[in-house]
Amino acid sequence: METEKYVFQVEHFGRLEMDGENVYKALETLKKELSPDIHFNILQAYVIKNGDFLIDISEFVTTVKDLKR
């Protein structure tokens, strides 16, 4: 399966880029890299299409993150 690149602007951590098959996998990778015990706030989120085109998915990611709590 093809992976996509995601960019997350995380409070106190800055801009972090993650690869994943989908946004859920990218969020899991982000959580593992920051530490499963750390609570973090995603301020903005984007998926990168065609190498440089950013699509804002901030509202979707916030909704998904809130549902998983």
Side-chain angles (χ1 to χ4, degrees), residues 4-68:
E4 294 186 294
K5 187 171 289 282
Y6 296 88
V7 178
F8 300 103
Q9 184 70 31
V10 182
E11 186 176 38
H12 305 297
F13 292 96
R15 178 184 165 143
L16 304 170
E17 293 188 16
M18 299 287 139
D19 292 327
E21 295 172 7
N22 55 51
V23 69
Y24 303 107
K25 298 281 187 183
L27 285 169
E28 286 298 318
T29 302
L30 177 66
K31 187 174 182 177
K32 288 177 188 173
E33 283 199 15
L34 292 178
S35 177
D37 300 330
I38 293 176
H39 175 74
F40 58 91
N41 291 320
I42 297 174
L43 304 174
Q44 293 178 310
Y46 302 93
V47 60
I48 300 175
K49 293 289 188 178
N50 300 327
D52 63 352
F53 185 69
L54 296 175
I55 299 173
D56 189 344
I57 57 170
S58 302
E59 189 173 326
F60 175 75
V61 168
T62 301
T63 302
V64 169
K65 192 168 161 284
D66 288 343
L67 289 175
K68 287 192 167 194

